[in-house]
Amino acid sequence: MGLLVDGQWQDRWYDTSSTGGKFVRKEAQFRNWVTPDGAPGPTGEGGFEAAAGRYHLYVSYACPWAHRTLIFRRLKGLEDMIGVSVVNHFMGDQGWTFHEGDGVIPDPIHDVEFLHELYTAADPKFSGRVTVPVLWDRKTGTIVSNESSEII
């Protein structure tokens, strides 16, 4: 599990020495909202207008936070409106991949090999962890959100 530093991938695990061995997840960096009219969401952050076919969801079946976005997508009846890609359950030196495997659904938008390439497509100088879920906006070509509680 690595991270991006100024858009460059680095194979570096979490530093838990400063937290007494605990895993402390950093706050998601993409925190925008999909709203009916594109107005800013509850946090006041920029909004993206709701539209069928506009958004694409990237998940891993190995991640409970990403998995719950799939559950809500189903419960809300949005399967035909929001596309999905699923990364390989194995996370290697380059992080989440779309390498062939059980349940993998490749990226139809960018045809990337590694999820971190999607992050740099949104922000070429991105610094931080590359996590799932990711909600991608096809219209503006960027990540709307990578915070599961706000995606759902």
Side-chain angles (χ1 to χ4, degrees), residues 29-145:
Q29 292 180 302
F30 294 94
R31 306 291 296 270
N32 298 301
W33 294 80
V34 175
T35 59
D37 60 358
T43 60
E45 295 296 317
F48 290 74
E49 186 173 7
R54 179 172 173 171
Y55 301 98
H56 193 81
L57 184 61
Y58 294 84
V59 299
S60 168
Y61 294 139
C63 173
W65 294 285
H67 193 250
R68 76 179 182 170
T69 63
L70 290 175
I71 293 169
F72 271 80
R73 178 178 167 261
R74 174 79 183 254
L75 290 173
K76 291 180 178 185
L78 299 173
E79 294 105 316
D80 293 335
M81 297 175 204
I82 300 173
V84 171
S85 289
V86 180
V87 296
N88 192 302
H89 67 277
F90 176 74
M91 185 184 299
D93 293 346
Q94 294 281 321
W96 295 113
T97 76
F98 289 98
H99 294 161
E100 191 172 317
D102 290 340
V104 172
I105 301 174
D107 171 27
I109 300 169
H110 298 95
D111 193 33
V112 295
E113 182 178 0
F114 305 106
L115 189 65
H116 67 76
E117 295 172 287
L118 187 70
Y119 274 69
T120 55
D123 178 0
K125 293 292 186 183
F126 180 81
S127 290
R129 295 284 173 189
V130 174
T131 62
V132 289
V134 171
L135 185 63
W136 182 267
D137 179 16
R138 292 173 179 259
K139 183 177 178 181
T140 62
T142 196
I143 295 173
V144 175
S145 181

